[in-house]
């Protein structure tokens, strides 16, 4: 079970409950054989107190009922140790590592000592002298404790980990007796260096120590966005929002495209040529049906290149909850704005359209509806139920938003038992924030894992878009992550710029590269990877499900 490779992921800020489920998903992947690699998840949390197995809550110096008043929450967890604090400005690390076996069990003590040495080495790179102390866990300095450690080892694989105080608000430590030790101070990297210090700086110092300390032969690193400093360029999608790209207004400035190309864009290759056939009976019938039922389709709203092929064969993806999205993504042509009222009759009309088309596999998606308490989950569930009433033999696939990490909303959809739960990761970790607003790679992975836990017999699916600035190696890494958390199906397709105002095409991926993605997915154990230039989330959805079930 010893891993020769460690995959390191900087995920940015993630609520504690989602990160806890995410590390459990990676742990399951490691012990269950979905991944042969160790993972180190690096992130920061909103204000959170966690109480380990050795704590009874007595070292919390503020009433639990008052925590909301300081913007904090509390979790009782299955790691060792007492109470500790996690929050903004603190680097938290969760090593999902195989732990060596000793004659009397797994080497948990050695694992803790290696984490300490890894942190001590990183701090030394920053010019801070630190050490481990006999009989205690964590990393200490002359000014006090700078890093807390609490772990759990089960079935030979570790969970939980460490927290390095980079530049947190130390006042939150005054609300607890940190780790149950009343007579020792707590300090931070920035306090010891006497200057502001970023988490990015500490991550850079930590990365070389990981493989060196734990003996990995290879370290594969994917880093999401760090908090932007004054000297950094704004995120591309934020610039687009400010320019009104997603508003649907015709007043925004349109970049000049020469022969259909923006500056720096490659010409469209032959394999990306699309034949538009609006004359087929199938295409015209689907279009007529959608208009008569007052339904939206993502095929039209997002400018899908396969609309002619799919509609000609009598299939389409219904888009619920209106045609205005509360978020903006640099690759998407759906208008961003204030959505209208929820149409409670829409589920019935959608079911009638599915029945009229005689579908055996229906695909439902929606805009993001962050304005709704449940994100629109109830409409998804009701539509599934109405389709099942009218067309009992029809499998329903749902392509859902992240519901802002709300487990109850996800359960609402999952309890309606869709045949496929699809949630798109969209792009690689490095580009998430540059391409999407209000989305989080870690949140997406946690949602996919939770969906599989709620309905283990169901199929979980995700999708990636290529040609937006990622590398082939980054897509391979994303496939490994999706497999590790239990995803069954993956779609990978080429980005096509909807309008001159959207993100430019970085490259057109050759069909041979798409074939390599499919081969890598098969090697990793993903049931099916639908990978090709014109592939979209619902492209060949029924065929993909049938292939995966074989």
């Amino acid at each position: 079970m010893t891993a020769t490779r460690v995959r390191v992921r900087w995920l940015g800020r993630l609520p504690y409950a989602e990160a806890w489920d995410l590390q459990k998903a990676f742990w399951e992947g490691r012990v269950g054989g979905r991944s042969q690699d160790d993972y180190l998840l690096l992130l920061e949390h909103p204000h959170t107190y966690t109480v380990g197995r050795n704590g009874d809550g007595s070292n919390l110096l503020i009433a639990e009922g008052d925590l909301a008043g300081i913007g904090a929450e509390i979790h009782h967890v299955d790691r060792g140790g007492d109470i500790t604090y996690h929050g903004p400005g603190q680097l938290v690390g969760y090593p999902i590592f195989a732990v060596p076996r000793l004659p009397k069990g797994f080497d948990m003590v050695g694992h803790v000592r290696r984490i300490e040495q890894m942190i001590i080495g990183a701090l030394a790179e920053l010019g801070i002298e630190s050490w481990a102390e006999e009989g205690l866990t964590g990393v200490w300095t002359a000014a006090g404790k700078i890093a807390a450690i609490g772990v759990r080892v089960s079935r030979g694989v570790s969970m939980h980990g460490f927290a390095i105080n980079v530049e947190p608000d130390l006042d939150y430590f005054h609300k607890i007796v940190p780790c149950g030790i009343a007579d020792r101070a707590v300090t931070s990297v920035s306090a010891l260096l006497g200057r502001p210090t970023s988490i990015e700086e500490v991550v850079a110092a930590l990365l070389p120590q990981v493989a060196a300390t734990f003996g990995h032969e290879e370290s594969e690193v994917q880093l999401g966005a760090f908090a932007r400093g004054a000297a950094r360029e704004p995120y591309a999608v934020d610039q687009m929002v400010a320019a009104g790209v997603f508003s649907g207004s015709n007043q925004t400035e349109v970049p000049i495209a020469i022969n259909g190309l923006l500056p720096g864009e490659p010409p469209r290759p032959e394999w990306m040529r699309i034949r538009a056939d609006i004359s087929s009976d199938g295409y015209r019938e689907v279009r007529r049906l959608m208009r008569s039922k007052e339904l939206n389709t993502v095929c039209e709203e997002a400018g899908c290149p396969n609309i002619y092929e799919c509609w000609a064969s009598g299939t389409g993806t219904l888009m619920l909850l209106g045609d205005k999205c509360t978020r903006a993504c640099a690759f998407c042509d759906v208008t961003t704005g204030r959505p209208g009222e929820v149409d409670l009759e829409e589920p019935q009309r959608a079911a009638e359209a599915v029945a009229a088309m005689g579908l055996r596999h229906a695909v439902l998606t929606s805009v993001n509806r962050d304005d709704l308490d449940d994100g629109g989950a109830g409409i998804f569930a009701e539509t599934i139920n109405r389709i099942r009433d009218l067309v009992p033999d029809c499998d329903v696939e749902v392509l859902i938003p992240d519901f802002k990490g709300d487990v109850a909303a996800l359960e609402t959809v999952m309890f309606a038992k869709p045949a496929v739960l699809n949630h798109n990761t969209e792009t690689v970790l490095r580009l998430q924030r540059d391409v999407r607003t209000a989305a989080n790679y870690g949140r997406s992975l946690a949602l996919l894992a939770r969906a599989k836990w709620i309905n283990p017999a169901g199929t979980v699916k995700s999708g990636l878009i290529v040609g937006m600035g990622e590398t082939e190696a980054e897509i391979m890494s994303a496939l490994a992550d999706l497999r590790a958390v239990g995803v069954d199906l993956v779609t990978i397709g080429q980005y096509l710029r909807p309008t001159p105002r959207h993100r430019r095409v970085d490259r057109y991926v050759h069909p041979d590269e798409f074939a390599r993605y499919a081969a890598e997915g098969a090697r990793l154990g993903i049931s099916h990877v639908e990978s090709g230039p014109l592939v979209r989330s619902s492209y060949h959805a029924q065929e993909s499900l049938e292939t995966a079930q074989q």
Side-chain angles (χ1 to χ4, degrees):
M1 196 174 183
T2 301
T4 60
R5 174 168 50 198
V6 58
R7 297 185 184 271
V8 183
R9 303 289 184 260
W10 162 251
L11 300 172
R13 188 173 299 182
L14 194 64
Y16 188 85
E18 290 177 80
W20 192 0
D21 280 352
L22 185 58
Q23 60 172 315
K24 285 189 285 188
F26 277 107
W27 175 86
E28 284 184 357
R30 188 74 176 92
V31 300
R34 294 195 303 252
S35 176
Q36 304 301 314
D37 304 316
D38 287 344
Y39 269 88
L40 175 58
L41 308 181
L42 300 174
L43 41 82
E44 66 175 345
H45 292 305
H47 300 298
T48 306
Y49 295 104
T50 65
V51 182
R53 293 191 304 268
N54 298 334
D56 59 8
S58 61
N59 286 317
L60 177 68
L61 305 181
I62 179 175
E64 285 199 24
D66 294 335
L67 288 175
I70 61 171
E73 58 187 27
I74 190 167
H75 293 272
H76 294 263
V77 298
D78 56 358
R79 60 162 172 80
D82 200 307
I83 192 168
T84 192
Y85 163 78
H86 299 313
Q90 185 187 71
L91 174 60
V92 177
Y94 297 123
I96 318 298
F97 285 7
V99 177
R101 181 185 286 275
L102 298 176
K104 294 185 178 181
F106 293 102
D107 186 18
M108 181 183 292
V109 173
H111 179 66
V112 171
R113 296 294 169 252
R114 286 184 287 275
I115 293 175
E116 289 172 342
Q117 290 306 310
M118 176 181 68
I119 296 170
I120 290 168
L123 293 174
E125 288 295 313
L126 295 169
I128 295 174
E129 182 181 4
S130 62
W131 56 84
E133 294 200 356
E134 186 70 28
L136 298 173
T137 60
V139 176
W140 306 80
T141 71
K145 191 173 189 178
I146 197 169
I149 298 173
V151 302
R152 175 179 181 238
V153 175
S154 178
R155 297 175 62 183
V157 176
S158 66
M159 287 181 64
H160 302 289
F162 60 88
I164 304 173
N165 299 329
V166 179
E167 198 173 39
D169 182 349
L170 293 178
D171 185 59
Y172 279 85
F173 285 97
H174 299 156
K175 307 293 192 296
I176 62 173
V177 180
C179 301
I181 304 173
D183 59 347
R184 302 292 292 270
V186 174
T187 190
S188 68
V189 173
S190 61
L192 291 170
L193 294 180
R195 61 172 175 81
T197 311
S198 68
I199 285 182
E200 184 175 9
E201 186 178 354
V202 179
V203 168
L206 184 72
L207 289 177
Q209 303 295 324
V210 180
T213 305
F214 285 88
H216 297 100
E217 296 175 7
E218 180 184 346
S219 181
E220 183 264 306
V221 179
Q222 302 293 329
L223 305 178
F226 290 91
R228 293 280 172 152
R232 295 198 180 184
E233 291 293 322
Y235 297 111
V237 71
D238 291 343
Q239 292 178 304
M240 295 167 66
V241 170
V245 169
F246 310 105
S247 67
S249 169
N250 294 322
Q251 305 303 313
T252 57
E253 182 178 349
V254 179
I256 297 175
I258 300 175
N259 296 324
L261 302 177
L262 295 177
E265 276 191 330
R268 183 173 292 196
E270 186 60 36
W271 65 78
M272 291 304 305
R273 305 296 178 186
I274 303 164
R275 185 175 68 88
D277 182 8
I278 63 173
S279 64
S280 71
D281 291 341
Y283 176 90
R284 289 185 295 179
E285 176 58 24
V286 171
R287 190 174 189 278
R288 183 202 64 77
L289 183 62
M290 296 306 166
R291 297 295 82 77
S292 69
K293 297 293 184 183
E294 298 181 336
L295 296 170
N296 298 301
T297 70
V298 75
C299 321
E300 295 170 290
E301 297 297 333
C304 179
N306 302 310
I307 187 171
Y308 310 107
E309 176 188 348
C310 294
W311 283 22
S313 65
T315 64
T317 299
L318 303 182
M319 191 169 77
L320 307 173
L321 295 161
D323 60 357
K324 288 186 173 60
C325 187
T326 53
R327 301 187 191 178
C329 296
F331 52 80
C332 185
D333 201 23
V334 176
T335 300
T336 300
R338 186 187 299 275
E341 294 294 321
V342 174
D343 182 353
L344 298 180
E345 301 302 319
E346 185 177 47
Q348 181 64 29
R349 297 199 309 275
E352 290 170 355
V354 168
M357 287 189 284
L359 297 183
R360 291 188 298 115
H361 189 102
V363 183
L364 309 174
T365 190
S366 79
V367 293
N368 277 282
R369 290 296 302 261
D370 293 329
D371 59 310
L372 302 177
D373 290 341
D374 71 347
I379 292 294
F380 270 104
E382 182 66 15
T383 307
I384 295 169
N385 292 330
R386 296 287 72 77
I387 291 173
R388 191 166 289 127
D389 289 342
L390 291 181
V391 196
D393 294 333
C394 181
D395 287 332
V396 181
E397 175 174 330
V398 292
L399 171 57
I400 63 170
D402 62 26
F403 299 136
K404 297 191 289 187
D406 185 350
V407 176
L410 177 62
E411 289 176 339
T412 296
V413 176
M414 294 303 297
F415 289 163
K417 294 293 180 68
V420 179
L421 187 288
N422 187 356
H423 171 72
N424 283 339
T425 317
E426 305 291 13
T427 189
V428 299
L429 177 54
R430 176 176 57 86
L431 293 179
Q432 288 283 324
R433 185 58 185 87
D434 204 46
V435 170
R436 309 167 77 194
T437 57
N440 183 293
Y441 187 82
R443 168 166 287 173
S444 291
L445 293 180
L447 180 150
L448 293 163
R450 287 167 166 174
K452 195 66 174 176
W453 292 336
I454 296 169
N455 183 16
T459 298
V460 175
K461 178 178 177 181
S462 191
L464 295 163
I465 306 169
V466 295
M468 294 195 292
E470 77 295 323
T471 67
E472 181 173 348
E474 286 177 314
I475 292 292
M476 298 299 192
S477 297
L479 285 172
D481 296 349
L482 292 169
R483 169 58 178 161
V485 301
V487 171
D488 303 297
L489 294 175
V490 178
T491 58
I492 307 176
Q494 171 69 50
Y495 168 59
L496 296 175
R497 174 173 45 76
T499 75
R501 296 180 298 172
H502 285 76
R503 187 182 182 91
R504 73 175 183 85
V505 176
D506 179 75
R507 65 185 180 120
Y508 287 101
V509 175
H510 193 275
D512 289 349
E513 186 172 326
F514 281 109
R516 290 195 292 274
Y517 295 148
E520 177 66 5
R523 187 193 70 80
L524 291 167
I526 298 173
S527 297
H528 181 70
V529 176
E530 185 77 20
S531 177
L534 298 181
V535 168
R536 294 297 182 266
S537 297
S538 56
Y539 187 59
H540 292 171
Q542 180 178 342
E543 296 86 343
S544 295
L545 177 59
E546 291 171 350
T547 300
Q549 291 175 337
Q550 290 175 357

